[in-house]
């Protein structure tokens, strides 16, 4: 029988245990896939902790993976057994095999490896909607991107530079500053010893930026608003440092008629046509060489707890995968 990480109660990394599971046969509209690689993302921590509730217990964490179709259920006509596929946004990825709705799967181009596909789908399509939909950037813009040396950040820095955008990025160390700079972040700010708001104002001649992309949450929320120009847009798409406390919405008016968004990848990919278009855009920019996917850490699936500790301890850069 295949194995999967199971969470019987939410909590710290040690609640994840590798267990035998029964996969079963795919039903109508479903596929059974064998994972070659599984992506690690901060949303996995949210589900493990119970910050984002899973539909039921026990459950397998993980929202992203790549592998091969083993079987298809009735009614699936645009995929075939043996296809190499990848997905993002469907809970249950920490497994050797799984059943998944077939309309969540996209074919992986021959030029893209399984590890790269598992490293890029969730993070890459997140960057796609951030830069193309949440706040459509244009050449000449200067933007602020928090956690610029993380998996999403490194993709965003490269893609934004490809679009003619100047990126100011926050990082936690000089080493991460060099990594972000090497991937297109023109102005890394080491937040542990630099004042982020002051540096952003200095770099923009006092004007502020039109958009801040913030996956950090509680620790950066207030400063992010103070980095915006009047009528600027704050895109809050994560909360690695904890949830943002309730606040008076009038604050947005007082700070310059600001806009606030809380988007999710699941919303932007809810329609299959949109999912495939976003994935195609991602594969195209990666295939062109404009964006390189850095998979800097690999852990066996059985060591998922260790991988979570590294992620939460900010000891990772770029993307991380689990190998079943």
């Amino acid at each position: 029988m295949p194995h999967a990480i199971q969470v019987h109660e939410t909590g710290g990394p040690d609640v994840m245990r590798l267990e035998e599971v029964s996969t079963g046969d795919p039903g109508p509209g479903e596929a059974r896939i064998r994972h070659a690689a599984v992506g690690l993302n901060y949303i996995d921590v949210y589900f493990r902790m119970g910050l984002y509730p899973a539909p039921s217990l026990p459950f397998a964490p993980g929202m992203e993976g790549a592998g091969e179709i083993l079987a298809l259920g009735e009614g699936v006509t645009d995929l075939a057994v043996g296809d190499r596929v990848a997905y993002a946004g469907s809970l249950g990825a920490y497994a050797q095999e799984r059943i998944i709705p077939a309309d969540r799967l996209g074919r992986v181009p021959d030029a893209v490896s399984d590890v790269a596909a598992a490293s890029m789908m969730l993070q890459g399509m997140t960057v796609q909607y951030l830069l193309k939909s949440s706040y459509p950037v244009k050449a000449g813009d200067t933007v602020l991107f928090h956690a610029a040396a993380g998996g999403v950040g490194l993709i965003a820095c490269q893609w934004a530079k490809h679009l003619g955008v100047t990126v100011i990025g926050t990082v936690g160390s000089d080493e991460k500053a060099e990594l972000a700079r090497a991937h297109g972040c023109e102005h890394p700010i080491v937040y542990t010893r630099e004042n982020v708001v002051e540096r952003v104002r200095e770099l923009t001649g006092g004007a502020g930026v039109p958009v801040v992309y913030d996956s950090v949450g509680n620790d950066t929320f207030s400063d992010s608003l103070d980095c915006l120009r009047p009528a600027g847009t704050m895109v809050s798409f994560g909360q690695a440092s904890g949830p943002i406390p309730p606040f008076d919405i009038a604050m947005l008016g007082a700070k310059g008629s600001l806009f606030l968004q809380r988007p999710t990848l699941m919303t932007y990919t809810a329609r299959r046509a949109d999912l495939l278009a976003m994935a195609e855009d991602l594969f195209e920019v990666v295939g062109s060489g404009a964006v390189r996917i850095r998979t800097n850490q690999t852990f066996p699936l059985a060591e998922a707890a260790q991988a979570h500790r590294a992620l939460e301890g900010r000891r990772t850069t770029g993307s991380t995968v689990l190998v079943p």
Side-chain angles (χ1 to χ4, degrees), residues 5-18 40 42 44-50 61 94 301-313 315:
I5 295 292
Q6 294 286 278
V7 174
H8 292 268
E9 59 180 4
T10 57
D14 290 335
V15 301
M16 296 186 294
R17 295 188 174 90
L18 190 68
L40 176 73
Y42 222 98
D44 306 348
V45 175
Y46 301 155
F47 275 104
R48 189 207 74 216
M49 294 174 62
Y94 286 17
L301 180 63
E303 296 179 9
Q306 182 178 341
H308 275 225
R309 292 188 191 98
L311 181 65
E312 292 178 87
R315 298 192 302 274

Side-chain angles (χ1 to χ4, degrees), residues 164-185:
V165 173
T166 297
V167 178
I168 303 170
T170 63
V171 295
S173 68
D174 290 324
E175 292 77 16
K176 288 187 175 182
E178 287 306 312
L179 181 62
R181 186 179 285 110
H183 286 77
C185 177

Side-chain angles (χ1 to χ4, degrees), residues 170-173 189-196 314:
T170 63
V171 295
S173 68
I189 299 173
V190 182
Y191 65 82
T192 53
R193 58 177 171 79
E194 297 181 90
N195 184 295
V196 174
R314 300 186 179 182

Side-chain angles (χ1 to χ4, degrees), residues 4 127 148 168 222 244 256 290 300 321:
V127 172
I168 303 170
S222 180
I244 298 164
V321 297

Side-chain angles (χ1 to χ4, degrees), residues 212-280:
V212 176
Y213 299 105
D214 190 341
S215 63
V216 178
N218 180 58
D219 289 354
T220 53
F221 181 70
S222 180
D223 282 352
S224 291
L225 296 180
D226 289 339
C227 289
L228 288 167
R229 71 185 186 191
T233 299
M234 163 71 165
V235 183
S236 174
F237 67 101
Q239 49 195 41
S241 67
I244 298 164
F247 69 95
D248 184 355
I249 195 172
M251 178 197 306
L252 300 177
K255 288 182 178 291
S257 300
L258 305 179
F259 294 85
L260 174 64
Q261 295 184 31
R262 179 65 177 185
T264 70
L265 177 63
M266 284 67 81
T267 300
Y268 280 97
T269 60
R271 297 192 311 161
R272 179 162 177 75
D274 293 333
L275 183 153
L276 294 179
M278 291 170 66
E280 182 178 357

Side-chain angles (χ1 to χ4, degrees), residues 6-322:
Q6 294 286 278
V7 174
H8 292 268
E9 59 180 4
T10 57
D14 290 335
V15 301
M16 296 186 294
R17 295 188 174 90
L18 190 68
E19 300 176 359
E20 282 191 346
V21 293
S22 176
T23 305
D25 296 320
E30 293 181 333
R32 185 171 84 246
I33 63 174
R34 178 192 297 119
H35 282 130
V38 172
L40 176 73
N41 297 281
Y42 222 98
I43 193 172
D44 306 348
V45 175
Y46 301 155
F47 275 104
R48 189 207 74 216
M49 294 174 62
L51 186 62
Y52 290 179
S56 61
L57 292 171
F59 71 94
M63 302 287 285
E64 173 183 45
E68 178 185 359
I69 295 178
L70 298 179
L72 291 169
E74 182 181 353
V76 181
T77 58
D78 59 344
L79 296 167
V81 172
D83 279 352
R84 292 176 61 239
V85 291
Y87 66 90
S90 187
L91 187 64
Y94 286 17
Q96 293 174 332
E97 296 182 12
R98 70 170 298 184
I99 302 292
I100 187 171
D103 68 356
R104 297 295 85 196
L105 299 173
R107 287 190 183 88
V108 177
D110 291 341
V112 176
S113 70
D114 291 323
V115 168
S119 300
M120 77 163 72
M121 293 298 288
L122 192 146
Q123 296 173 348
M125 289 198 296
T126 295
V127 172
Q128 199 278 346
Y129 81 70
L130 290 176
L131 299 181
K132 300 290 187 75
S133 297
S134 287
Y135 180 89
V137 297
K138 61 184 183 299
D141 279 344
T142 297
V143 307
L144 175 61
F145 208 102
H146 287 293
V152 174
L154 292 183
I155 295 172
C157 289
Q158 295 175 82
W159 205 333
K161 182 176 182 179
H162 176 63
L163 295 172
V165 173
T166 297
V167 178
I168 303 170
T170 63
V171 295
S173 68
D174 290 324
E175 292 77 16
K176 288 187 175 182
E178 287 306 312
L179 181 62
R181 186 179 285 110
H183 286 77
C185 177
E186 190 163 332
H187 303 291
I189 299 173
V190 182
Y191 65 82
T192 53
R193 58 177 171 79
E194 297 181 90
N195 184 295
V196 174
V197 177
E198 290 179 1
R199 282 290 290 139
V200 169
R201 292 290 172 180
E202 178 184 343
L203 290 166
T204 59
V209 293
V211 61
V212 176
Y213 299 105
D214 190 341
S215 63
V216 178
N218 180 58
D219 289 354
T220 53
F221 181 70
S222 180
D223 282 352
S224 291
L225 296 180
D226 289 339
C227 289
L228 288 167
R229 71 185 186 191
T233 299
M234 163 71 165
V235 183
S236 174
F237 67 101
Q239 49 195 41
S241 67
I244 298 164
F247 69 95
D248 184 355
I249 195 172
M251 178 197 306
L252 300 177
K255 288 182 178 291
S257 300
L258 305 179
F259 294 85
L260 174 64
Q261 295 184 31
R262 179 65 177 185
T264 70
L265 177 63
M266 284 67 81
T267 300
Y268 280 97
T269 60
R271 297 192 311 161
R272 179 162 177 75
D274 293 333
L275 183 153
L276 294 179
M278 291 170 66
E280 182 178 357
D281 194 15
L282 172 63
F283 286 135
E284 181 178 329
V285 76
V286 171
S288 73
V291 171
R292 292 173 293 131
I293 303 300
R294 290 184 63 102
T295 307
N296 291 341
Q297 298 82 209
T298 301
F299 294 84
L301 180 63
E303 296 179 9
Q306 182 178 341
H308 275 225
R309 292 188 191 98
L311 181 65
E312 292 178 87
R314 300 186 179 182
R315 298 192 302 274
T316 64
T317 59
S319 298
T320 304
V321 297
L322 307 175

